[in-house]
Amino acid sequence: MTEWTAFSVDISDHVAQVTLLGPGKGNAMGRAFWTELPQVFAELDADPEVRAVVLAASGKHFSFGLDLAEMGGDFAPLLAERALAGPRSRFHTLVKSMQASVTAVADSRTPVIAAIQGWCIGGGVDLIAAADIRYASADAKFSVREAKIGIVADIGSLQRLPAIIGEGHLRELAYTGKDIDASRAASIGLVNDVLDDADAALAAARATAAEIAANPPLVVQGVKDVLDRERAATVTEGLRYVAAWNAAFLPSEDLTEGITAVFEKRPATFRGE
């Protein structure tokens, strides 16, 4: 396997474990993450020995989501006064590229089982929504937090979570940007089970991956393909729409305020401008 910056990959007994490594604090998703994620899954898809993938994370937290410190500059041309077609078009291309990175996980030919500990925020939820099965440690906390920054979530949560947790729960999380704990996540179906700690969550994910890997691989791939087909067109159309929507309407004083508030570690004050 290739050496990666944002991930480590270990393969044994037909199971690949992909582990987020950062390098940003809390495994924040910077440029290396978005570039390498589809490459990692392309290599795994090309390996006939891989029959299941465990998606894990190093450290205390799964992911703080988008690395605003590293990628905030990508928003700057869009927030410039009277941003014209050029910066909007480039931002649209960026969003579609980031969407494609997470879609590579959803489109994996083999099932993906996520093990989540600590915070799983924003892009972290986008990522686990692309997995097939999710296990959480008791200390895990989840947030579809984009609204609190002035952003419409555009990498997959709004498209994939309705089939996982239902419209009502998704609307509550996406409209409020609230945090929920592992118990609530399990009660709404966001995670399959809650384990005592991070090690137990990872062990559960690996045990399920081993069970899957012991089955006929072509049958498992067929089951995944049939299940995914039902919603693939809806997800694709939703991603296309939100990328265009954000390129057109995301620039706002509220977005500037939301990003500034994050760096200044204070509550944002939004004015609808």
Side-chain angles (χ1 to χ4, degrees):
M1 290 291 292
T2 305
E3 291 294 322
W4 309 103
T5 299
F7 302 92
S8 67
V9 180
D10 298 292
I11 302 173
S12 63
D13 299 324
H14 300 297
V15 173
Q17 180 172 321
V18 178
T19 305
L20 280 66
L21 298 178
K25 181 179 179 182
N27 298 315
M29 298 169 168
R31 290 186 177 87
F33 171 90
W34 299 107
T35 299
E36 292 180 359
L37 182 63
Q39 297 172 359
V40 168
F41 274 83
E43 285 201 11
L44 294 177
D45 268 6
D47 187 343
E49 293 300 308
V50 174
R51 299 183 181 182
V53 178
V54 171
L55 184 60
S58 60
K60 294 181 179 180
H61 303 287
F62 185 79
S63 180
F64 288 169
L66 184 68
D67 190 341
L68 285 174
E70 181 175 348
M71 300 192 67
D74 293 321
F75 290 91
L78 197 65
L79 293 173
E81 187 175 0
R82 297 180 64 188
L84 299 178
R88 291 175 188 268
S89 179
R90 287 187 288 274
F91 181 77
H92 184 242
T93 298
L94 173 66
V95 170
K96 291 196 296 181
S97 174
M98 293 165 69
Q99 290 176 343
S101 295
V102 173
T103 295
V105 178
D107 288 350
S108 168
R109 66 177 174 80
T110 59
V112 178
I113 304 97
I116 305 124
Q117 77 276 7
W119 279 110
C120 181
I121 302 172
V125 178
D126 291 321
L127 181 58
I128 66 166
D132 296 271
I133 300 167
R134 290 156 290 277
Y135 294 108
S137 63
D139 71 340
K141 292 177 284 188
F142 304 82
S143 181
V144 183
R145 194 173 290 183
E146 285 86 348
K148 287 186 175 292
I149 306 174
I151 298 174
V152 175
D154 56 8
I155 309 300
S157 289
L158 301 187
Q159 291 71 38
R160 295 188 173 97
L161 286 181
I164 299 170
I165 65 175
E167 287 278 353
H169 292 304
L170 173 57
R171 288 173 187 267
E172 178 187 359
L173 298 182
Y175 292 159
T176 65
K178 70 191 332 179
D179 306 332
I180 62 170
D181 62 16
S183 176
R184 175 75 194 285
S187 73
I188 64 176
L190 180 57
V191 299
N192 294 64
D193 200 0
V194 178
L195 291 305
D196 288 341
D197 54 30
D199 289 341
L202 179 57
R206 291 193 62 88
T208 296
E211 283 190 75
I212 292 169
N215 285 335
L218 295 180
V219 170
V220 172
Q221 293 167 29
V223 171
K224 178 174 168 62
D225 187 50
V226 170
L227 289 173
D228 288 349
R229 180 172 176 79
E230 193 68 25
R231 57 179 172 172
T234 299
V235 170
T236 298
E237 176 59 20
L239 290 172
R240 184 200 66 78
Y241 183 83
V242 73
W245 197 98
N246 269 355
F249 298 112
L250 188 66
S252 68
E253 292 181 9
D254 281 347
L255 176 58
T256 301
E257 165 65 7
I259 294 175
T260 302
V262 168
F263 288 117
E264 294 180 354
K265 298 181 179 180
R266 60 170 175 81
T269 301
F270 298 120
R271 295 185 172 83
E273 297 291 340

